[in-house]
Amino acid sequence: MSYARPVTRRAAVTAARRVRVGGIGVDALTEEEAVRWVGAELEAGRGGRIVTPNVDICRASAEDPILNELVCTAELVVADGMPLVWAAKLLGTPVPERVTGADLIWSLSGLAARRGWPVYLLGGPPGAARKAAEALAGRHPGLDVCGVHAPPYHFDATPEGSARVRRRVVEARPRLVFVGLGFPRQDLLIAELRKELPQAWFLGCGAAIAFAAGTVPRAPGWMRRIGLEWAFRLGCEPARLARRYLVDDLPFAARLLATSLAARARQRGSKGASEPVGQVMRVPVGVARSGHENTHPSPEVRS
């Protein structure tokens, strides 16, 4: 049984460069460009998914081809992790900046407030979505939050539980949906919601709802800029994050950077030294990539 539906071509708004790094395709866009892209697509009545891969998501995708497809077929994929930004630069196919779900939730809310598009917040600890909605509306007056919901942790253990959560979102008729349930749970749910709300845009944003609510502290700007946000989060939640960051993700990040550097060194020693090592693809903005069915058993969820 095929996991993805056939791709449907749509009119291109512009062209974005998608580069291959960490085993996935990443769109070489700034945060501002990504927001403009989403705005243009919404104006045209087209929906989509945004995935913001970091090292942990890349590692999980490298281990599971179904998750890799789930990431790579999103309409918009932007680099959340600094190691991906560094690796892309080493490969000679740089992306302009790190673009995080924790930042996009604010900038996309600003877009929604300006255009009058309703937004829905799904996920986070109990009460966090409502607090986040208040914070977002406080910064962006006029923001229409049409619904908030923090489903129980194992809501998707049964088809009925997942259907109840989807029904609440669909009945609210949002144009933008922020889903903070951790990867891959949030992205599998989004793939299902895309079928029911084809004109909406969805952002899988992990801990962004909790960050916006202030219930979980975010690293200071200087730590985010130099790629140490993971260390700050580890200090805040060592019991939950120590194995993920120190045992699983750090070795993967080290291998990613080492192989990128080695590939660049080999390329510089060859005749085509001026050519990039990484793969570059021209992706028409507005071309829908494949949708998904939730046929994958519930794996470990990361936020």
Side-chain angles (χ1 to χ4, degrees), residues 16-275:
R17 187 185 63 164
R18 177 161 285 196
V19 303
R20 189 80 175 171
V21 59
I24 59 175
V26 175
D27 294 305
L29 296 172
T30 65
E31 180 184 344
E32 181 181 356
E33 289 168 339
V35 171
R36 285 206 306 266
W37 177 345
V38 172
E41 291 294 278
L42 281 168
E43 286 282 8
R46 294 188 289 260
R49 296 188 292 124
I50 307 172
V51 179
T52 61
N54 54 19
V55 167
D56 196 64
I57 291 175
C58 286
R59 181 184 59 78
S61 298
E63 295 171 354
D64 188 328
I66 293 179
L67 297 185
N68 184 275
E69 184 183 10
L70 182 64
V71 172
C72 292
T73 55
E75 281 75 11
L76 186 57
V77 182
V78 288
D80 185 305
M82 281 303 296
L84 273 70
V85 177
W86 297 331
K89 185 175 182 180
L90 288 171
L91 290 169
T93 54
V95 296
E97 64 182 14
R98 181 187 183 212
V99 182
T100 73
D103 292 321
L104 281 171
I105 193 173
W106 294 96
S107 51
L108 288 172
S109 291
L111 172 72
R114 293 191 298 272
R115 305 289 180 86
W117 292 326
V119 304
Y120 194 104
L121 279 70
L122 177 63
R130 189 165 301 281
K131 290 181 180 178
E134 293 170 357
L136 293 168
R139 182 179 297 186
H140 301 295
L143 179 67
D144 176 12
V145 179
C146 63
V148 299
H149 183 40
Y153 183 67
H154 288 296
F155 73 91
D156 54 351
T158 65
E160 294 78 15
S162 182
R164 280 194 298 270
V165 171
R166 295 199 312 272
R167 191 179 309 117
R168 289 181 65 150
V169 179
V170 171
E171 288 175 354
R173 309 306 298 176
R175 297 300 306 281
L176 277 161
V177 185
F178 305 131
V179 187
L181 298 170
F183 181 85
R185 176 172 282 127
Q186 64 193 17
D187 303 274
L188 291 166
L189 180 65
I190 286 170
E192 291 297 312
L193 282 166
R194 278 280 286 126
K195 303 171 190 175
E196 300 174 90
L197 291 170
Q199 294 183 320
W201 269 82
F202 298 83
L203 169 66
C205 57
I209 290 175
F211 289 154
T215 57
V216 173
R218 195 178 180 199
W222 69 268
M223 294 188 80
R224 301 200 298 267
R225 286 190 295 272
I226 64 175
L228 286 177
E229 185 164 12
W230 67 270
F232 181 88
R233 291 196 66 191
L234 177 60
C236 293
E237 301 180 85
R240 187 173 77 90
L241 298 176
R243 177 175 177 81
R244 182 197 305 180
Y245 286 169
L246 300 179
V247 177
D248 297 331
D249 291 352
L250 271 182
F252 183 89
R255 288 194 301 271
L256 172 62
L257 294 173
T259 55
S260 300
L261 183 60
R264 188 62 172 168
R266 287 194 302 271
Q267 187 268 345
R268 284 177 174 171
S270 68
K271 291 182 180 179
S274 62
E275 296 297 323

